[in-house]
């Protein structure tokens, strides 16, 4: 019985991943112990789907090695875990060989960075970045964008890189802000990256809530607040001070912002225009309030003696009738 020997060899690929639109170098050699007039076929298989990649009529001389060195482009239609099937038709018995496995993906390497991690309202944040294929080549054509606080901005890539100056609004919300960099080339490969920066809460407004007038001996209940550039509440402490009409300091307290504070007025507090002041975050607010006049008295008898006590905050000069 005559023995017929056939062999196909396929070189291993230099990379494990390829982008859509790249060319994969397929190096193969075929030898057969008999002459063959037939066809060489190369099919690309990816996740149970296939696509013809190469076809050529061949005329093989017996016992000679025939080498093939092909550049086969990838297609968007097939992605995933892939391999090539090299087969020869026309021999007494067809024979074939499968290549090692590789990955076809639409993933691009995208990178975005900011020049400062903490910024203040009105600052300029410089965002830079780049986009590359998996083989390291730059992405020269396609579209790219930066989405900052929900607003998309189209940008241009030059030699695979970009630089974008973002001016921060004066009323920007304090806290973390995310940046989304997206890029897509003409072959449908895509990539994205996130960057972020924080905005400091800058004390902008201090406020004080109290009534316009109080009777002596009552309690001033109020609250003080500090808000940042966007109107957000800043937690902290404020110093609350109360001054009488002559400018003398009557009370002072440290109170948390947005918490109710109480200041008790003496029953003999001088009537007139008082001031209450709050300091915090480098800001100050002063508000006037009135301490009302209170003309009251207290009387009692001890034996045949009548006692009268002024319990108000003004002179009691009205007549007292005794029956």
């Amino acid at each position: 019985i005559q023995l017929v020997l056939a062999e196909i060899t396929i070189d291993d690929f230099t990379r494990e991943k390829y982008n859509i639109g790249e060319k994969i170098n397929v190096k193969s050699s075929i030898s057969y112990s008999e002459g063959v007039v037939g066809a060489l076929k190369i099919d690309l298989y990816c996740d149970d789907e296939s696509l013809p990649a190469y076809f050529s009529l061949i005329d093989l001389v017996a016992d000679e090695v025939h080498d093939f060195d092909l550049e086969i482009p990838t297609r968007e239609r097939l992605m995933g875990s892939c391999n090539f099937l090299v087969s020869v038709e026309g021999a007494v018995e067809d024979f074939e060989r499968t290549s090692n496995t590789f990955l076809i993906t639409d993933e691009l390497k995208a990178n975005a960075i900011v020049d400062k991690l903490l910024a203040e309202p009105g600052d300029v944040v410089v965002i830079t970045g780049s986009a590359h294929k998996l083989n390291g080549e730059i992405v020269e054509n396609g579209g790219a964008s930066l989405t900052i606080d929900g607003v998309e901005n189209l940008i241009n890539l030059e030699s695979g890189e970009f630089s974008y100056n973002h001016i921060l609004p004066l009323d920007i919300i304090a806290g973390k802000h995310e940046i989304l960099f997206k890029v897509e080339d003409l072959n449908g490969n895509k990539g994205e990256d996130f960057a972020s920066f924080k905005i400091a809460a800058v004390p902008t407004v201090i406020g004080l809530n109290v009534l316009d007038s109080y009777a002596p001996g009552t309690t001033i209940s109020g609250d003080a607040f500090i808000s940042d550039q966007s109107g957000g509440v800043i937690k902290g402490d404020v110093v609350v001070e109360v001054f009488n009409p002559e400018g003398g300091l009557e009370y002072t307290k440290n109170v948390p912002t947005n918490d109710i504070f109480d200041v008790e007025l003496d029953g003999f507090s001088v009537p007139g225009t008082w001031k209450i002041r709050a300091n915090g975050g480098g800001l100050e607010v002063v508000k006037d309030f009135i301490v009302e006049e209170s003309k009251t008295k207290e009387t009692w008898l001890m034996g045949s003696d009548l006692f009268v006590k002024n319990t108000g905050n003004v002179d009691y000069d009205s007549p007292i009738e005794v029956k």
Side-chain angles (χ1 to χ4, degrees):
I1 301 175
Q2 184 179 3
L3 183 64
V4 177
L5 299 179
E7 183 180 20
I8 298 176
T9 61
I10 305 173
D11 292 357
D12 289 342
F13 302 114
T14 57
R15 290 162 45 205
E16 296 181 353
K17 293 183 178 182
Y18 294 87
N19 279 124
I20 299 171
E22 281 193 75
K23 292 183 178 180
I24 302 177
N25 184 221
V26 180
K27 293 183 178 181
S28 175
S29 62
I30 302 173
S31 62
Y32 199 65
S33 58
E34 293 183 353
V36 176
V37 176
L40 169 67
K41 292 178 58 181
I42 301 178
D43 296 309
L44 176 61
Y45 285 82
C46 295
D47 294 339
D48 299 326
E49 294 188 36
S50 64
L51 187 70
Y54 181 79
F55 177 86
S56 176
L57 299 176
I58 58 173
D59 188 356
L60 301 181
V61 179
D63 296 325
E64 286 189 2
V65 177
H66 300 268
D67 295 323
F68 297 90
D69 190 346
L70 305 172
E71 297 285 342
I72 298 179
T74 58
R75 296 288 187 268
E76 186 176 2
R77 174 179 165 184
L78 292 184
M79 289 193 298
S81 181
C82 307
N83 57 63
F84 286 106
L85 177 66
V86 180
S87 59
V88 175
E89 297 178 351
V92 176
E93 183 177 344
D94 296 343
F95 57 104
E96 61 188 24
R97 175 62 60 87
T98 301
S99 73
N100 64 310
T101 302
F102 55 92
L103 188 69
I104 297 179
T105 176
D106 61 357
E107 173 191 357
L108 293 176
K109 294 180 179 178
N111 182 49
I113 58 175
V114 294
D115 67 333
K116 58 185 69 175
L117 298 179
L118 181 63
E120 293 191 356
D123 284 352
V124 176
V125 175
V126 181
I127 309 163
T128 57
S130 60
H132 295 81
K133 299 178 182 178
L134 296 181
N135 63 2
E137 294 180 1
I138 61 175
V139 177
E140 294 186 277
N141 298 309
S145 67
L146 287 173
T147 301
I148 308 171
D149 293 335
V151 179
E152 185 178 36
N153 306 276
L154 299 180
I155 58 175
N156 294 321
L157 293 177
E158 296 183 5
S159 300
E161 298 181 344
F162 74 90
S163 179
Y164 182 83
N165 293 340
H166 179 58
I167 302 175
L168 301 178
L170 295 177
D171 60 350
I172 188 170
I173 297 174
K176 184 178 180 180
H177 292 254
E178 283 198 342
I179 301 168
L180 171 60
F181 167 49
K182 296 178 68 175
V183 60
E184 181 175 352
D185 67 12
L186 298 181
N187 292 313
N189 296 295
K190 309 177 187 67
E192 63 180 38
D193 190 29
F194 288 91
S196 64
F197 58 91
K198 286 187 176 181
I199 295 295
V202 179
T204 305
V205 176
I206 185 170
L208 188 60
N209 294 315
V210 293
L211 298 179
D212 293 330
S213 64
Y214 293 90
T218 58
T219 299
I220 300 174
S221 291
D223 67 274
F225 65 89
I226 299 176
S227 57
D228 63 17
Q229 66 276 4
S230 65
V233 175
I234 296 179
K235 293 184 178 180
D237 289 335
V238 295
V239 178
V240 175
E241 299 169 312
V242 179
F243 299 89
N244 61 34
E246 287 73 35
L249 179 62
E250 295 282 346
Y251 304 95
T252 180
K253 282 190 175 183
N254 284 339
V255 297
T257 55
N258 276 40
D259 277 3
I260 300 297
F261 63 84
D262 293 326
V263 176
E264 293 185 4
L265 289 173
D266 188 274
F268 297 100
S269 297
V270 177
T273 301
W274 290 51
K275 293 185 182 296
I276 183 168
R277 180 172 67 190
N279 293 283
L283 302 172
E284 177 181 290
V285 60
V286 178
K287 186 172 182 180
D288 293 341
F289 67 94
I290 301 297
V291 172
E292 302 164 352
E293 291 187 356
S294 176
K295 194 172 185 179
T296 59
K297 69 181 185 303
E298 181 181 349
T299 62
W300 67 95
L301 283 170
M302 290 185 66
S304 60
D305 295 326
L306 172 65
F307 291 85
V308 181
K309 179 181 179 181
N310 184 2
T311 57
N313 62 351
V314 293
D315 291 341
Y316 193 90
D317 54 3
S318 299
I320 298 175
E321 183 181 5
V322 180
K323 292 184 179 179

